[in-house]
Coordinates of all heavy atoms in Angstrom, one line a residue:
M1 N -14.1 -2.1 -0.6 CA -13.1 -1.4 -1.4 C -11.8 -1.2 -0.7 O -11.8 -0.9 0.5 CB -13.7 -0.1 -1.9 CG -13.1 0.4 -3.1 SD -14.2 1.8 -3.7 CE -13.4 2.0 -5.3
G2 N -10.7 -1.4 -1.4 CA -9.4 -1.4 -0.7 C -8.9 0.1 -0.5 O -9.5 1.0 -1.0
E3 N -7.9 0.2 0.3 CA -7.3 1.5 0.6 C -6.6 2.1 -0.6 O -5.9 1.3 -1.4 CB -6.3 1.3 1.7 CG -5.8 2.6 2.3 CD -4.9 2.4 3.5 OE1 -5.2 1.5 4.2 OE2 -3.9 3.1 3.6
R4 N -6.7 3.3 -0.9 CA -6.1 4.0 -2.0 C -4.6 4.0 -1.8 O -4.2 4.4 -0.7 CB -6.7 5.3 -2.3 CG -8.1 5.3 -2.7 CD -8.5 6.6 -3.3 NE -7.9 6.6 -4.7 CZ -8.5 7.1 -5.7 NH1 -9.7 7.5 -5.6 NH2 -7.9 7.1 -6.9
V5 N -3.8 3.7 -2.8 CA -2.4 3.8 -2.7 C -1.9 4.9 -3.7 O -2.3 4.9 -4.8 CB -1.8 2.4 -3.1 CG1 -0.3 2.5 -3.0 CG2 -2.3 1.3 -2.2
S6 N -1.1 5.7 -3.2 CA -0.6 6.8 -4.1 C 0.4 6.3 -5.2 O 0.9 5.2 -5.1 CB 0.2 7.9 -3.2 OG 1.4 7.4 -2.8
L7 N 0.5 7.2 -6.2 CA 1.4 6.8 -7.3 C 2.8 6.6 -6.7 O 3.5 5.6 -7.1 CB 1.4 7.9 -8.3 CG 2.4 7.7 -9.5 CD1 2.1 6.4 -10.2 CD2 2.3 8.9 -10.4
A8 N 3.3 7.5 -5.8 CA 4.6 7.3 -5.3 C 4.8 6.0 -4.5 O 5.8 5.4 -4.7 CB 4.9 8.5 -4.4
E9 N 3.8 5.6 -3.8 CA 3.8 4.3 -3.1 C 3.9 3.2 -4.1 O 4.6 2.2 -3.8 CB 2.7 4.2 -2.1 CG 2.7 5.2 -0.9 CD 1.5 5.2 -0.1 OE1 0.4 5.2 -0.7 OE2 1.6 5.1 1.1
R10 N 3.1 3.3 -5.1 CA 3.1 2.2 -6.1 C 4.5 2.1 -6.8 O 5.0 1.0 -7.0 CB 2.0 2.4 -7.2 CG 0.6 2.2 -6.7 CD -0.3 2.4 -7.8 NE -1.7 2.3 -7.3 CZ -2.7 1.7 -7.9 NH1 -2.5 1.2 -9.1 NH2 -3.9 1.7 -7.4
L11 N 5.0 3.2 -7.2 CA 6.3 3.2 -7.8 C 7.4 2.7 -6.9 O 8.3 2.0 -7.3 CB 6.7 4.6 -8.4 CG 5.8 5.0 -9.6 CD1 6.2 6.4 -10.0 CD2 6.0 4.1 -10.8
G12 N 7.2 3.0 -5.6 CA 8.2 2.6 -4.6 C 8.2 1.1 -4.4 O 9.2 0.6 -3.9
A13 N 7.1 0.5 -4.8 CA 7.0 -1.0 -4.6 C 7.7 -1.7 -5.7 O 8.0 -2.9 -5.7 CB 5.6 -1.4 -4.5
D14 N 8.0 -1.0 -6.8 CA 8.6 -1.7 -8.0 C 10.1 -2.0 -7.7 O 10.7 -1.4 -6.9 CB 8.5 -0.8 -9.2 CG 7.1 -0.6 -9.7 OD1 6.3 -1.5 -9.5 OD2 6.7 0.5 -10.1
A15 N 10.6 -2.9 -8.5 CA 12.0 -3.3 -8.3 C 12.7 -3.0 -9.6 O 12.2 -3.0 -10.7 CB 12.1 -4.8 -7.9
F16 N 14.0 -2.8 -9.5 CA 14.8 -2.5 -10.7 C 16.0 -3.5 -10.7 O 16.7 -3.8 -9.7 CB 15.4 -1.1 -10.7 CG 14.4 0.0 -10.8 CD1 13.7 0.4 -9.7 CD2 14.1 0.5 -12.0 CE1 12.7 1.4 -9.8 CE2 13.1 1.5 -12.2 CZ 12.4 1.9 -11.1
D17 N 16.2 -4.1 -11.9 CA 17.4 -4.9 -12.1 C 18.2 -4.2 -13.1 O 18.1 -4.3 -14.3 CB 17.0 -6.3 -12.7 CG 18.2 -7.2 -12.9 OD1 19.3 -6.8 -12.6 OD2 18.0 -8.3 -13.4
T18 N 19.1 -3.3 -12.6 CA 19.8 -2.3 -13.5 C 21.0 -2.9 -14.2 O 21.8 -3.6 -13.6 CB 20.3 -1.1 -12.6 OG1 19.1 -0.6 -11.9 CG2 20.9 -0.1 -13.5
D19 N 21.1 -2.7 -15.5 CA 22.2 -3.1 -16.2 C 23.4 -2.1 -16.0 O 23.1 -1.0 -15.6 CB 21.9 -3.2 -17.7 CG 22.9 -3.9 -18.5 OD1 23.1 -5.1 -18.2 OD2 23.5 -3.3 -19.5
S20 N 24.6 -2.5 -16.3 CA 25.7 -1.6 -16.0 C 25.8 -0.6 -17.2 O 26.6 0.4 -17.0 CB 27.0 -2.4 -15.9 OG 27.2 -3.2 -17.1
T21 N 25.2 -0.8 -18.3 CA 25.2 0.1 -19.4 C 23.8 0.7 -19.6 O 22.8 0.1 -19.6 CB 25.7 -0.6 -20.7 OG1 26.9 -1.2 -20.4 CG2 25.9 0.3 -21.8
S22 N 23.8 2.0 -20.0 CA 22.6 2.7 -20.2 C 21.9 2.2 -21.5 O 22.6 2.1 -22.5 CB 22.8 4.2 -20.3 OG 21.6 4.9 -20.6
H23 N 20.6 2.0 -21.4 CA 19.8 1.6 -22.6 C 19.3 2.9 -23.3 O 18.6 2.8 -24.3 CB 18.7 0.7 -22.3 CG 17.7 1.3 -21.3 ND1 18.0 1.4 -19.9 CD2 16.5 1.8 -21.5 CE1 16.9 2.0 -19.3 NE2 16.0 2.2 -20.2
L24 N 19.5 4.0 -22.7 CA 19.1 5.3 -23.2 C 20.3 6.1 -23.6 O 21.1 6.5 -22.7 CB 18.2 6.1 -22.2 CG 17.0 5.4 -21.6 CD1 16.4 6.1 -20.5 CD2 16.0 5.1 -22.7
T25 N 20.5 6.4 -24.9 CA 21.7 7.1 -25.3 C 21.3 8.2 -26.2 O 20.2 8.3 -26.6 CB 22.7 6.1 -26.0 OG1 22.0 5.5 -27.1 CG2 23.2 5.0 -25.1
L26 N 22.3 9.0 -26.6 CA 22.1 10.1 -27.5 C 22.9 9.9 -28.8 O 24.1 9.5 -28.7 CB 22.6 11.4 -26.8 CG 21.8 11.8 -25.5 CD1 22.5 12.9 -24.8 CD2 20.4 12.1 -25.8
S27 N 22.3 10.2 -29.9 CA 23.1 10.0 -31.2 C 24.1 11.1 -31.2 O 25.2 10.9 -31.8 CB 22.1 10.2 -32.3 OG 21.4 11.4 -32.3
D28 N 23.8 12.3 -30.7 CA 24.8 13.4 -30.7 C 24.4 14.4 -29.5 O 23.4 15.1 -29.6 CB 24.7 14.1 -32.0 CG 25.7 15.3 -32.1 OD1 26.4 15.6 -31.0 OD2 25.7 16.0 -33.1
P29 N 25.1 14.4 -28.4 CA 24.8 15.2 -27.3 C 24.7 16.7 -27.7 O 24.0 17.5 -27.0 CB 26.0 15.0 -26.3 CG 26.5 13.6 -26.7 CD 26.3 13.5 -28.2
A30 N 25.3 17.1 -28.7 CA 25.3 18.5 -29.1 C 23.9 18.9 -29.6 O 23.5 20.1 -29.4 CB 26.3 18.8 -30.3
L31 N 23.1 18.0 -30.0 CA 21.7 18.3 -30.4 C 20.9 18.7 -29.2 O 20.0 19.5 -29.4 CB 21.1 17.0 -31.1 CG 21.6 16.6 -32.4 CD1 21.1 15.2 -32.8 CD2 21.2 17.7 -33.5
C32 N 21.2 18.2 -28.1 CA 20.4 18.6 -26.8 C 20.7 20.0 -26.4 O 19.9 20.7 -25.9 CB 20.8 17.6 -25.7 SG 20.3 15.9 -26.1
R33 N 21.9 20.5 -26.7 CA 22.3 21.9 -26.4 C 21.4 22.9 -27.1 O 21.2 24.0 -26.6 CB 23.8 22.1 -26.6 CG 24.7 21.4 -25.6 CD 26.1 21.8 -25.7 NE 26.9 20.9 -25.0 CZ 27.6 19.9 -25.6 NH1 27.6 19.8 -26.9 NH2 28.3 19.0 -24.9
T34 N 21.0 22.5 -28.3 CA 20.2 23.5 -29.1 C 18.8 23.1 -29.1 O 18.0 23.7 -29.9 CB 20.8 23.5 -30.6 OG1 20.7 22.2 -31.1 CG2 22.2 24.0 -30.6
C35 N 18.4 22.1 -28.3 CA 17.0 21.7 -28.3 C 16.2 22.8 -27.5 O 16.5 23.1 -26.3 CB 16.9 20.4 -27.5 SG 15.2 19.7 -27.5
A36 N 15.2 23.4 -28.2 CA 14.5 24.5 -27.6 C 13.7 24.2 -26.4 O 13.7 24.9 -25.4 CB 13.7 25.2 -28.7
L37 N 13.0 23.1 -26.4 CA 12.0 22.8 -25.4 C 12.5 21.7 -24.4 O 12.0 21.7 -23.2 CB 10.7 22.2 -26.0 CG 10.0 23.2 -26.9 CD1 8.8 22.5 -27.5 CD2 9.5 24.4 -26.1
R38 N 13.4 20.9 -24.8 CA 13.9 19.8 -24.0 C 12.7 19.1 -23.3 O 12.6 18.9 -22.1 CB 14.9 20.3 -22.9 CG 16.2 20.8 -23.6 CD 17.2 21.2 -22.6 NE 18.4 21.8 -23.3 CZ 19.0 22.9 -23.0 NH1 18.7 23.5 -21.9 NH2 20.0 23.3 -23.7
P39 N 11.8 18.6 -24.1 CA 10.6 18.0 -23.6 C 10.9 16.7 -22.8 O 10.0 16.3 -22.0 CB 9.8 17.7 -24.9 CG 10.8 17.6 -26.0 CD 11.9 18.5 -25.6
C40 N 12.0 16.0 -23.1 CA 12.3 14.8 -22.3 C 12.3 15.0 -20.8 O 11.8 14.2 -20.0 CB 13.6 14.2 -22.8 SG 15.0 15.3 -22.6
I41 N 12.7 16.2 -20.5 CA 12.8 16.6 -19.0 C 11.4 16.7 -18.4 O 11.2 16.3 -17.3 CB 13.6 17.9 -18.8 CG1 15.1 17.6 -19.3 CG2 13.6 18.3 -17.4 CD1 15.9 18.9 -19.3
R42 N 10.5 17.2 -19.2 CA 9.2 17.5 -18.7 C 8.3 16.2 -18.7 O 7.4 16.1 -17.8 CB 8.5 18.6 -19.5 CG 9.2 19.9 -19.3 CD 8.4 21.0 -19.9 NE 9.0 22.3 -19.6 CZ 9.7 23.0 -20.5 NH1 9.8 22.5 -21.7 NH2 10.2 24.1 -20.3
V43 N 8.4 15.4 -19.7 CA 7.5 14.3 -19.8 C 7.8 13.0 -18.9 O 6.9 12.2 -18.6 CB 7.3 13.8 -21.2 CG1 6.8 15.0 -22.1 CG2 8.5 13.2 -21.8
C44 N 9.0 12.9 -18.5 CA 9.4 11.7 -17.8 C 8.9 11.7 -16.4 O 9.3 12.6 -15.6 CB 10.9 11.5 -17.8 SG 11.4 10.0 -16.9
P45 N 8.0 10.7 -16.0 CA 7.5 10.7 -14.7 C 8.5 10.3 -13.6 O 8.3 10.6 -12.4 CB 6.4 9.7 -14.8 CG 6.7 8.8 -15.9 CD 7.5 9.7 -16.9
A46 N 9.6 9.8 -14.0 CA 10.6 9.3 -13.1 C 11.8 10.3 -13.0 O 12.8 10.0 -12.4 CB 11.2 8.0 -13.5
E47 N 11.7 11.4 -13.7 CA 12.8 12.4 -13.7 C 14.1 11.9 -14.1 O 15.1 12.2 -13.5 CB 12.8 13.2 -12.4 CG 11.5 13.9 -12.0 CD 11.5 14.6 -10.7 OE1 12.5 14.3 -9.9 OE2 10.6 15.4 -10.4
V48 N 14.1 11.0 -15.1 CA 15.3 10.4 -15.6 C 16.3 11.5 -16.2 O 17.5 11.4 -16.1 CB 15.0 9.3 -16.6 CG1 16.3 8.9 -17.4 CG2 14.4 8.1 -15.9
Y49 N 15.7 12.5 -16.9 CA 16.5 13.5 -17.6 C 16.6 14.8 -16.8 O 15.6 15.3 -16.3 CB 15.8 13.8 -18.9 CG 15.6 12.6 -19.8 CD1 14.5 11.8 -19.7 CD2 16.7 12.2 -20.6 CE1 14.3 10.7 -20.5 CE2 16.5 11.0 -21.4 CZ 15.4 10.3 -21.3 OH 15.2 9.1 -22.0
Q50 N 17.8 15.3 -16.7 CA 18.1 16.5 -16.0 C 19.2 17.3 -16.8 O 20.1 16.7 -17.3 CB 18.6 16.2 -14.6 CG 17.5 15.6 -13.7 CD 18.1 15.3 -12.3 OE1 19.2 15.3 -12.0 NE2 17.1 15.1 -11.4
W51 N 19.0 18.6 -16.8 CA 20.0 19.4 -17.5 C 21.0 19.9 -16.4 O 20.6 20.5 -15.4 CB 19.3 20.6 -18.2 CG 20.3 21.3 -19.0 CD1 20.9 22.5 -18.8 CD2 20.7 20.9 -20.3 NE1 21.7 22.8 -19.9 CE2 21.6 21.8 -20.8 CE3 20.5 19.7 -21.1 CZ2 22.3 21.7 -22.0 CZ3 21.1 19.6 -22.3 CH2 22.0 20.6 -22.8
E52 N 22.2 19.5 -16.6 CA 23.3 19.9 -15.6 C 24.4 20.6 -16.4 O 25.0 20.0 -17.3 CB 23.8 18.7 -14.9 CG 22.8 18.1 -13.9 CD 23.3 17.0 -13.1 OE1 24.5 16.6 -13.4 OE2 22.6 16.5 -12.3
E53 N 24.8 21.7 -15.9 CA 25.9 22.5 -16.6 C 25.5 22.7 -18.0 O 24.5 23.4 -18.3 CB 27.2 21.8 -16.5 CG 27.6 21.4 -15.1 CD 28.2 22.6 -14.3 OE1 28.8 23.4 -14.9 OE2 28.0 22.6 -13.0
D54 N 26.1 22.0 -19.0 CA 25.8 22.2 -20.4 C 25.5 20.9 -21.0 O 25.7 20.7 -22.2 CB 26.9 23.0 -21.1 CG 28.2 22.1 -21.1 OD1 28.3 21.2 -20.3 OD2 29.0 22.4 -21.9
R55 N 25.0 20.0 -20.3 CA 24.7 18.7 -20.9 C 23.5 18.0 -20.3 O 23.1 18.3 -19.1 CB 25.9 17.7 -20.7 CG 26.1 17.3 -19.3 CD 27.3 16.3 -19.2 NE 27.5 15.8 -17.9 CZ 27.0 14.7 -17.4 NH1 26.3 13.9 -18.2 NH2 27.2 14.3 -16.2
L56 N 22.9 17.1 -21.0 CA 21.8 16.3 -20.5 C 22.3 15.1 -19.8 O 23.0 14.3 -20.3 CB 20.9 15.8 -21.7 CG 19.6 15.2 -21.4 CD1 18.6 16.2 -20.8 CD2 19.0 14.5 -22.6
R57 N 21.9 15.0 -18.5 CA 22.2 13.9 -17.7 C 21.1 12.9 -17.8 O 19.9 13.3 -17.6 CB 22.5 14.3 -16.3 CG 22.8 13.1 -15.4 CD 23.2 13.6 -14.0 NE 23.4 12.5 -13.1 CZ 23.1 12.4 -11.9 NH1 22.5 13.4 -11.3 NH2 23.4 11.3 -11.2
I58 N 21.4 11.6 -18.0 CA 20.4 10.6 -18.1 C 20.6 9.6 -17.0 O 21.5 8.8 -17.0 CB 20.4 9.9 -19.5 CG1 20.3 10.9 -20.6 CG2 19.4 8.8 -19.6 CD1 20.5 10.3 -22.0
R59 N 19.6 9.6 -16.1 CA 19.7 8.6 -15.0 C 18.9 7.4 -15.4 O 17.8 7.2 -14.8 CB 19.2 9.3 -13.7 CG 20.0 10.5 -13.3 CD 19.6 11.1 -12.0 NE 18.2 11.3 -11.9 CZ 17.5 11.5 -10.8 NH1 18.2 11.6 -9.7 NH2 16.2 11.6 -10.8
Y60 N 19.4 6.6 -16.2 CA 18.7 5.5 -16.8 C 18.3 4.4 -15.8 O 17.3 3.7 -16.0 CB 19.5 4.8 -17.9 CG 20.7 4.0 -17.4 CD1 20.6 2.6 -17.2 CD2 21.9 4.6 -17.0 CE1 21.6 1.9 -16.7 CE2 23.0 3.8 -16.5 CZ 22.8 2.5 -16.4 OH 23.8 1.7 -15.9
E61 N 18.9 4.4 -14.6 CA 18.6 3.4 -13.6 C 17.2 3.6 -13.1 O 16.6 2.6 -12.6 CB 19.5 3.6 -12.4 CG 21.0 3.7 -12.7 CD 21.4 5.2 -13.0 OE1 20.8 6.1 -12.6 OE2 22.4 5.3 -13.7
N62 N 16.6 4.8 -13.3 CA 15.2 5.0 -12.8 C 14.2 4.9 -13.9 O 13.0 5.2 -13.6 CB 15.1 6.4 -12.2 CG 16.1 6.6 -11.0 OD1 16.5 5.6 -10.4 ND2 16.4 7.8 -10.7
C63 N 14.6 4.5 -15.0 CA 13.6 4.4 -16.2 C 12.4 3.5 -15.9 O 12.6 2.3 -15.5 CB 14.4 4.0 -17.4 SG 13.4 3.9 -18.9
L64 N 11.2 4.0 -16.2 CA 10.0 3.2 -16.1 C 9.6 2.6 -17.4 O 8.6 1.9 -17.5 CB 8.9 4.1 -15.6 CG 9.1 4.8 -14.3 CD1 8.0 5.7 -13.9 CD2 9.4 3.8 -13.1
E65 N 10.4 2.8 -18.5 CA 10.1 2.2 -19.8 C 8.8 2.6 -20.4 O 8.2 1.7 -21.0 CB 10.4 0.7 -19.7 CG 11.8 0.4 -19.3 CD 12.0 -1.1 -19.1 OE1 11.3 -1.9 -19.7 OE2 12.8 -1.5 -18.2
T66 N 8.3 3.8 -20.2 CA 7.0 4.2 -20.7 C 7.2 4.6 -22.2 O 6.2 4.5 -23.0 CB 6.5 5.4 -20.0 OG1 7.3 6.6 -20.2 CG2 6.3 5.2 -18.5
G67 N 8.4 5.0 -22.6 CA 8.6 5.5 -24.0 C 8.2 6.9 -24.2 O 8.3 7.4 -25.3
A68 N 7.7 7.6 -23.2 CA 7.2 9.0 -23.4 C 8.4 9.9 -23.9 O 8.1 10.8 -24.7 CB 6.7 9.5 -22.1
C69 N 9.5 9.7 -23.4 CA 10.7 10.5 -23.8 C 11.0 10.3 -25.3 O 11.4 11.3 -26.0 CB 11.9 10.2 -22.9 SG 12.4 8.5 -23.0
R70 N 10.8 9.1 -25.7 CA 11.1 8.9 -27.2 C 10.2 9.6 -28.1 O 10.6 10.3 -29.0 CB 11.0 7.4 -27.4 CG 11.1 6.9 -28.8 CD 10.8 5.4 -28.9 NE 11.3 4.9 -30.1 CZ 11.3 3.6 -30.4 NH1 10.9 2.7 -29.5 NH2 11.8 3.2 -31.5
I71 N 8.9 9.6 -27.7 CA 7.9 10.3 -28.5 C 8.1 11.8 -28.4 O 8.1 12.6 -29.4 CB 6.5 10.0 -28.0 CG1 6.2 8.5 -28.3 CG2 5.4 10.9 -28.7 CD1 5.0 8.0 -27.6
A72 N 8.4 12.3 -27.2 CA 8.7 13.7 -27.0 C 9.9 14.2 -27.8 O 9.8 15.3 -28.4 CB 8.9 14.0 -25.5
C73 N 10.9 13.5 -27.8 CA 12.1 13.9 -28.5 C 11.9 13.9 -30.0 O 12.3 14.8 -30.7 CB 13.3 12.9 -28.1 SG 14.9 13.4 -28.9
D74 N 11.2 12.8 -30.5 CA 10.9 12.7 -31.9 C 9.9 13.8 -32.4 O 10.0 14.2 -33.6 CB 10.3 11.3 -32.2 CG 11.4 10.3 -32.3 OD1 12.6 10.7 -32.2 OD2 11.1 9.1 -32.3
T75 N 9.0 14.2 -31.6 CA 8.0 15.2 -32.0 C 8.3 16.6 -31.7 O 7.9 17.5 -32.4 CB 6.6 14.8 -31.5 OG1 6.7 14.8 -30.0 CG2 6.2 13.4 -31.9
M76 N 8.9 16.9 -30.5 CA 9.2 18.2 -30.1 C 10.6 18.5 -29.8 O 11.0 19.7 -29.5 CB 8.4 18.5 -28.8 CG 6.9 18.4 -29.0 SD 6.0 18.7 -27.4 CE 6.2 17.0 -26.7
G77 N 11.5 17.5 -29.9 CA 12.9 17.7 -29.6 C 13.7 17.7 -30.8 O 13.2 17.9 -32.0
N78 N 15.0 17.4 -30.6 CA 15.9 17.5 -31.8 C 16.4 16.1 -32.2 O 17.4 15.9 -32.9 CB 17.2 18.3 -31.3 CG 17.1 19.7 -31.6 OD1 16.1 20.2 -32.1 ND2 18.1 20.5 -31.3
H79 N 15.6 15.1 -31.9 CA 15.8 13.7 -32.4 C 17.1 13.2 -32.0 O 17.8 12.4 -32.8 CB 15.6 13.7 -33.9 CG 14.4 14.3 -34.5 ND1 13.2 13.7 -34.6 CD2 14.2 15.6 -34.8 CE1 12.3 14.5 -35.0 NE2 12.9 15.7 -35.2
A80 N 17.6 13.4 -30.8 CA 18.9 12.9 -30.4 C 18.8 11.6 -29.6 O 19.7 10.9 -29.5 CB 19.5 14.0 -29.5
L81 N 17.6 11.4 -29.0 CA 17.5 10.2 -28.1 C 17.4 8.9 -28.9 O 16.6 8.7 -29.8 CB 16.2 10.4 -27.3 CG 16.0 9.3 -26.2 CD1 17.1 9.4 -25.2 CD2 14.7 9.6 -25.5
V82 N 18.2 8.0 -28.5 CA 18.2 6.6 -29.1 C 17.6 5.7 -27.9 O 18.3 5.5 -26.9 CB 19.6 6.1 -29.5 CG1 19.5 4.7 -30.1 CG2 20.2 7.1 -30.5
W83 N 16.4 5.3 -28.1 CA 15.7 4.6 -27.1 C 15.6 3.1 -27.3 O 15.4 2.6 -28.5 CB 14.2 5.1 -27.0 CG 13.5 4.8 -25.8 CD1 13.3 5.6 -24.7 CD2 12.7 3.6 -25.5 NE1 12.5 5.0 -23.8 CE2 12.2 3.8 -24.2 CE3 12.5 2.4 -26.2 CZ2 11.4 2.8 -23.6 CZ3 11.8 1.4 -25.6 CH2 11.2 1.6 -24.3
A84 N 15.9 2.3 -26.3 CA 15.7 0.8 -26.4 C 15.3 0.3 -25.0 O 15.5 1.0 -24.0 CB 17.1 0.2 -26.8
F85 N 14.8 -0.9 -25.0 CA 14.6 -1.5 -23.7 C 15.9 -2.0 -23.2 O 16.9 -2.3 -23.9 CB 13.7 -2.8 -23.9 CG 12.2 -2.4 -24.1 CD1 11.6 -2.6 -25.3 CD2 11.5 -1.9 -23.1 CE1 10.3 -2.3 -25.5 CE2 10.1 -1.6 -23.2 CZ 9.5 -1.8 -24.5
P86 N 16.0 -2.1 -21.8 CA 17.2 -2.7 -21.3 C 17.4 -4.1 -21.8 O 16.4 -4.8 -22.1 CB 16.9 -2.7 -19.7 CG 15.8 -1.7 -19.6 CD 15.0 -1.7 -20.8
P87 N 18.6 -4.6 -21.8 CA 18.9 -5.9 -22.4 C 18.5 -7.0 -21.4 O 18.5 -6.8 -20.2 CB 20.4 -5.9 -22.6 CG 20.9 -4.9 -21.6 CD 19.9 -3.8 -21.5
A88 N 18.2 -8.1 -22.0 CA 18.0 -9.4 -21.3 C 17.0 -9.3 -20.1 O 17.2 -9.9 -19.1 CB 19.4 -9.9 -20.8
G89 N 15.9 -8.6 -20.4 CA 14.9 -8.5 -19.4 C 15.2 -7.7 -18.2 O 14.5 -7.7 -17.2
R90 N 16.3 -6.9 -18.2 CA 16.6 -6.1 -17.1 C 15.7 -4.8 -17.1 O 14.9 -4.6 -18.0 CB 18.1 -5.7 -17.2 CG 19.0 -6.9 -16.9 CD 20.3 -6.5 -16.4 NE 20.9 -7.5 -15.6 CZ 22.2 -7.7 -15.5 NH1 23.0 -6.8 -16.1 NH2 22.7 -8.6 -14.8
G91 N 16.0 -4.0 -16.1 CA 15.2 -2.8 -16.0 C 14.1 -2.9 -14.9 O 14.3 -3.6 -13.9
I92 N 13.0 -2.2 -15.1 CA 12.0 -2.2 -14.0 C 11.2 -3.5 -14.0 O 11.0 -4.1 -15.1 CB 11.0 -1.0 -14.2 CG1 10.1 -0.8 -13.0 CG2 10.3 -1.1 -15.5 CD1 9.4 0.5 -12.9
Q93 N 10.8 -3.9 -12.8 CA 9.9 -5.0 -12.6 C 8.8 -4.5 -11.9 O 8.9 -4.2 -10.7 CB 10.7 -6.1 -11.9 CG 11.9 -6.6 -12.6 CD 12.8 -7.5 -11.8 OE1 12.5 -7.7 -10.6 NE2 13.8 -8.1 -12.4
Y94 N 7.6 -4.3 -12.6 CA 6.5 -3.7 -11.9 C 5.8 -4.7 -10.9 O 5.7 -5.9 -11.2 CB 5.4 -3.3 -13.0 CG 5.8 -2.1 -13.7 CD1 6.4 -2.1 -15.0 CD2 5.6 -0.8 -13.1 CE1 6.7 -1.0 -15.7 CE2 6.0 0.3 -13.8 CZ 6.5 0.2 -15.1 OH 6.8 1.4 -15.7
R95 N 5.4 -4.1 -9.8 CA 4.6 -4.8 -8.8 C 3.3 -4.1 -8.7 O 3.2 -2.9 -8.2 CB 5.3 -4.8 -7.5 CG 6.8 -5.2 -7.5 CD 6.9 -6.7 -7.3 NE 8.2 -7.1 -6.9 CZ 9.2 -7.4 -7.8 NH1 8.9 -7.4 -9.0 NH2 10.3 -7.8 -7.4
L96 N 2.3 -4.6 -9.2 CA 1.0 -4.0 -9.2 C 0.3 -4.1 -7.8 O 0.4 -5.2 -7.2 CB 0.0 -4.6 -10.2 CG 0.6 -4.5 -11.7 CD1 -0.4 -5.2 -12.6 CD2 0.8 -3.0 -12.1
G97 N -0.3 -3.1 -7.4 CA -1.0 -3.2 -6.1 C -1.3 -1.8 -5.5 O -0.9 -0.8 -6.0
Ligands
SF4_101 S1 14.2 16.1 -26.3 FE1 15.8 14.9 -27.3 S2 17.1 16.4 -28.3 FE2 15.9 17.5 -26.7 S3 17.1 17.5 -24.8 FE3 15.8 15.7 -24.8 S4 17.0 14.0 -25.7 FE4 18.0 16.0 -26.3

C-alpha cells in the first residue's frame, strides 16, 4: 500500500493555466451585500471567495471547478454568481496521485 498523501499535497501538485479574465462573475455585486449567509465563502475548498471591505473578492485563479459555489449561491445565496468553466480548456489541470 502506498504512502498517504494529504489533500493539501494533492492540490499542490495540480497546475493552473490561468486566463486573464475571470470565468466567475457576478450579475450584480449589490446582491452579495445583502446576502445573509454568503455560502460561497464557506463551501469553496480553495477559498476563492473572500469578503473584503464591502465587496466580494473572487480569486478565480485558484478555482478548482467543483461548482460547489454555484449550487450554494443558487440554493442559499442571492443568485448573483454567474458560473462558467474557464475558456479554451484553461483553468486547473488535475494531477492525480
Ligand atoms: S452566495 Fe452568491 S449572492 Fe451570496 S455572496 Fe456568494 S456570490 Fe454573492
Side-chain angles (χ1 to χ4, degrees):
M1 206 166 186
E3 186 177 324
R4 292 197 77 136
V5 179
S6 72
L7 177 61
E9 289 172 315
R10 286 182 186 222
L11 291 175
D14 295 326
F16 292 84
D17 181 4
T18 304
D19 195 60
S20 58
T21 305
S22 177
H23 61 286
L24 305 171
T25 58
L26 300 170
S27 60
D28 180 358
L31 290 169
C32 299
R33 289 191 194 96
T34 59
C35 183
L37 298 176
R38 295 184 185 135
C40 59
I41 295 172
R42 294 193 175 101
V43 302
C44 178
E47 299 180 347
V48 165
Y49 302 92
Q50 294 179 343
W51 191 256
E52 290 184 357
E53 306 282 328
D54 64 343
R55 69 178 184 96
L56 188 69
R57 180 176 176 215
I58 303 175
R59 301 186 309 166
Y60 73 96
E61 313 84 26
N62 299 338
C63 180
L64 303 176
E65 300 172 29
T66 67
C69 55
R70 177 186 197 172
I71 295 169
C73 184
D74 283 350
T75 58
M76 296 177 281
N78 271 359
H79 311 273
L81 186 61
V82 181
W83 197 97
F85 283 109
R90 290 204 156 150
I92 190 165
Q93 299 169 356
Y94 283 102
R95 309 269 197 270
L96 302 178

